[in-house]
Amino acid sequence: MIDAADVCEGTLAKWLAPELIEHTRQGEMLVHRDRADRIMDKYGLDGLVAALPSNIYYLSSHLGISAMMGRHYSSFAVLPRNREAPASLIVNGSMVYHLDYRPTWMPSVEVFSYPIGTDAAGRAIPEPLPSPWARAIREDSMTDRDRLLMALYAEYEGKTGASAGGSLANALAKAGLTRGTLGFDDMRVPGVLGADFHAKAVDALNIFREIRMVKSEPEIAILRQAAIRNEAALDAAIATMHIGQPLQDIDIGHQRKWGELGGKSLWLIVNQRGLNSGVVEKDEPTKIDSVGEYMGYKGDVGRTIVVGTPPDEVARRAEANSAALAVLYAEVRPGMTYARGSEIIRDVLRQHGFERGLGGAHPVGLEHTDQPWPVGGEPDPAYFEDVMVFEEGTVFTMDMPYHEIGYGTSHVEDMMVVRADGAEALSSGDTSLRILPA
């Protein structure tokens, strides 16, 4: 047993330099705060607690290395409905240096170290230093970078919790959220909050997604870059296509270009006649649906390609697809349902002589399909009228896949953002059939 009075604090006091670490609390807010407030009110929530990496990043604008490593439950973020209460980011003390280049906007950062013993009541006593590296110092050869890191360690000395769950409990107490109703994206988390936690826990996995269906302007700026870069990577992959090329190898160009552009390729769905096996064949339509990631946000663009001479029907269908999308983008307005968007697509396709064809919209953001999803079941029909509605700030693609046995397969989509007077393109919007020489 260790007496709390025996725990030495203040050893880093001389390294305190708030001016050196101001930037670590000046991150740009990604969360659409007004939208979050409205949805919390809709479900009667007093706050949100994020444990999933995507939601921690969304709420706090910070994605630490522990979350990136897949070390679950080592980071959390808390967003109170009451804007006067402190929003909090919870991180491992050894990882606070990541705030230097991944800052948060949240005013409260709770750190935890590890327990060094227990007090007379059996409660864990945390190591007061946020990181063991704070003890390994050569003062005679320190640089400005060293002093910045020591200022971070000094800032959190004596403010540590003994565990991630304990620091989360502290954050909730500071925000007045130990009672009321809280939404959690992982329902295992309430079980570690201790006897002082008396709030009602609500499964908010899909509530987070419902909030994220409308993007803030900082998110839209990132999504624009994700769209542009993903399309550039897709174009690079298309440029490699040639007769006899294994369809699976087209993905290599996408991966390589994404690496050059500072993001990563997630997948390329490539097929001819519905299959990815085999090679590029002359005059056959090739479907490519490409997805990549930039700063945590997804880029999603699709195209149809023919190496050689496109059959007449393939060319006419591509023209019909472009016409249908042009009508939708001009007509979409806040308040229109996604279902109505699909009706517009089908109507224009029929006008061009194609009874078979469809278009289905989905939001794009931190997830490829950034919307609530049922867990093992189907949503209530009202979901498509109440939730699946375009709003100003919705970033979406209208997927237009087509597959008919004996004909082949095609695809086209672009990333768009809904504005008050229509849809604004984030990718090029060039939905024309891509034709390459054989």
Side-chain angles (χ1 to χ4, degrees):
M1 184 184 73
I2 297 176
D3 192 308
D6 295 333
V7 178
C8 180
E9 296 180 14
T11 58
L12 305 184
K14 70 178 182 178
W15 303 111
L16 281 168
E19 70 282 0
L20 293 183
I21 61 172
E22 285 180 358
H23 65 287
T24 66
R25 303 290 185 88
Q26 295 175 350
E28 187 171 39
M29 186 185 294
L30 296 175
V31 59
H32 193 310
R33 193 66 189 269
D34 290 341
R35 168 81 173 180
D37 287 350
R38 288 195 299 272
I39 300 301
M40 281 193 275
D41 289 345
K42 175 180 175 180
Y43 293 102
L45 300 181
D46 297 302
L48 293 166
V49 178
L52 301 183
S54 59
N55 288 329
I56 295 170
Y57 177 46
Y58 178 64
L59 292 188
S60 72
S61 303
H62 174 80
L63 184 60
I65 198 68
S66 293
M68 294 170 66
M69 288 176 177
R71 293 173 63 181
H72 304 300
Y73 316 111
S74 60
S75 302
F76 300 99
V78 177
L79 185 72
R81 172 61 182 88
N82 176 9
R83 295 198 184 191
E84 299 301 316
S88 294
L89 171 67
I90 293 87
V91 295
N92 185 318
S94 291
M95 302 298 176
V96 294
Y97 68 92
H98 291 285
L99 288 164
D100 174 46
Y101 67 107
R102 290 197 179 102
T104 183
W105 65 270
M106 288 184 156
S108 175
V109 176
E110 297 284 329
V111 303
F112 63 93
S113 52
Y114 53 89
I116 57 174
T118 57
D119 62 16
R123 293 169 300 200
I125 298 175
E127 159 63 62
L129 299 185
S131 170
W133 303 118
R135 300 183 190 279
I137 307 170
R138 299 183 187 182
E139 293 192 32
D140 58 348
S141 58
M142 289 182 68
T143 67
D144 288 344
R145 186 172 296 179
D146 294 316
R147 280 183 278 275
L148 190 156
L149 183 56
M150 288 305 297
L152 273 169
Y153 288 153
E155 176 69 19
Y156 298 107
E157 182 184 16
K159 302 174 184 177
T160 56
S163 68
S167 289
L168 174 58
N170 290 338
L172 293 175
K174 288 180 180 179
L177 294 175
T178 57
R179 297 184 181 276
T181 304
L182 289 181
F184 292 81
D185 62 0
D186 188 323
M187 288 300 286
R188 287 168 288 195
V189 173
V192 304
L193 291 175
D196 292 333
F197 179 72
H198 301 288
K200 177 184 177 182
V202 172
D203 183 351
L205 179 63
N206 277 328
I207 293 175
F208 271 92
R209 288 173 172 153
E210 187 172 343
I211 294 169
R212 293 186 345 230
M213 286 179 69
V214 176
K215 309 310 186 206
S216 64
E217 287 301 323
E219 287 184 283
I220 292 170
I222 297 173
L223 281 161
R224 188 184 304 277
Q225 288 301 312
I228 291 170
R229 293 165 194 240
N230 188 57
E231 185 169 10
L234 172 57
D235 288 343
I238 291 172
T240 71
M241 292 178 62
H242 57 274
I243 302 300
Q245 178 186 20
L247 290 170
Q248 293 181 353
D249 287 357
I250 297 173
D251 188 24
I252 296 172
H254 192 250
Q255 295 180 39
R256 182 181 295 118
K257 188 64 176 179
W258 253 120
E260 294 174 3
L261 294 171
K264 59 184 177 182
S265 169
L266 296 183
W267 68 79
L268 218 64
I269 299 175
V270 181
N271 61 59
Q272 288 188 338
R273 294 188 179 256
L275 295 172
N276 183 245
S277 57
V279 300
V280 175
E281 295 184 13
K282 186 174 181 292
D283 303 338
E284 283 280 354
T286 303
K287 161 191 172 175
I288 299 186
D289 187 0
S290 68
V291 175
E293 181 177 286
Y294 178 70
M295 292 180 63
Y297 284 79
K298 308 302 183 283
D300 184 11
V301 180
R303 297 288 182 256
T304 301
I305 307 95
V306 171
V307 181
T309 303
D312 178 65
E313 185 180 348
V314 172
R316 288 191 298 107
R317 182 173 285 279
E319 291 174 358
N321 287 345
S322 295
L325 287 168
V327 172
L328 170 70
Y329 297 154
E331 292 191 15
V332 69
R333 294 290 187 278
M336 178 189 287
T337 65
Y338 284 52
R340 175 56 188 151
S342 296
E343 289 175 2
I344 290 171
I345 294 293
R346 289 194 298 269
D347 288 345
V348 177
L349 289 177
R350 281 193 288 266
Q351 292 167 21
H352 282 74
F354 293 99
E355 290 296 325
R356 292 178 178 172
L358 59 88
H362 67 84
V364 184
L366 288 164
E367 294 182 83
H368 163 266
T369 313
D370 215 18
Q371 67 193 52
W373 279 101
V375 179
E378 294 299 324
D380 185 283
Y383 165 82
F384 297 101
E385 295 292 332
D386 298 338
V387 176
M388 298 305 293
V389 175
F390 293 112
E391 299 187 50
E392 190 167 0
T394 296
V395 173
F396 74 98
T397 75
M398 175 59 77
D399 269 298
M400 293 191 66
Y402 185 70
H403 182 209
E404 183 178 345
I405 306 301
Y407 162 81
T409 185
S410 64
H411 183 60
V412 66
E413 64 178 321
D414 275 279
M415 287 177 61
M416 315 295 293
V417 57
V418 178
R419 300 300 191 185
D421 56 353
E424 174 191 344
L426 299 181
S427 48
S428 73
D430 181 4
T431 56
S432 59
L433 179 66
R434 302 295 178 86
I435 302 173
L436 303 178

